[in-house]
């Protein structure tokens, strides 16, 4: 018997056996868990957008106060030559 026909025979045997009954509250439990997962995902997505917005506002405020693109003033005076 080849491995393919052995597998087919095993599958046919499993399908011919009586199937176990499902719990009566399986659908309600799946709907409850699915709804909870969707609420958690929505809350996580909103939290991530809020954190992104806060980070963007903090960056804009920091850039307007610190002005990192401006060269800092020189702390020493240039040497005087040619007098």
């Amino acid at each position: 018997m080849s491995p393919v026909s052995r597998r087919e025979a095993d599958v046919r045997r499993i399908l011919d056996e009586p199937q176990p009954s499902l719990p009566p509250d399986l659908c309600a439990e799946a709907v409850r868990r699915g709804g909870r997962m969707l609420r958690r995902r929505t809350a996580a997505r909103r939290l991530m957008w809020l954190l992104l917005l806060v980070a963007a506002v903090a960056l804009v405020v920091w850039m307007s106060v610190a002005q990192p693109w401006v060269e800092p003033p020189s702390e020493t005076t240039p040497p005087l030559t040619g007098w």
Side-chain angles (χ1 to χ4, degrees):
M1 189 176 243
S2 71
V4 175
S5 62
R6 186 177 306 134
R7 286 186 202 151
E8 286 179 4
D10 288 342
V11 169
R12 289 179 196 275
R13 184 181 45 81
I14 290 172
L15 290 176
D16 287 341
E17 291 176 358
Q19 302 299 320
S21 63
L22 297 175
D25 64 338
L26 182 67
C27 181
E29 183 70 18
V31 168
R32 185 182 65 81
R33 286 186 180 183
R36 183 171 57 193
M37 280 184 7
L38 286 176
R39 283 190 301 276
R40 284 182 180 174
R41 283 185 189 162
T42 303
R45 191 177 306 120
R46 287 181 181 169
L47 179 64
M48 292 303 287
W49 277 111
L50 179 66
L51 289 175
L52 182 66
L53 178 67
V54 167
V57 168
L59 179 67
V60 168
V61 168
W62 172 76
M63 289 179 69
S64 66
V65 171
Q67 296 182 350
W69 57 87
V70 175
E71 186 176 326
S74 177
E75 305 224 354
T76 61
T77 58
L80 295 174
T81 58
W83 277 77

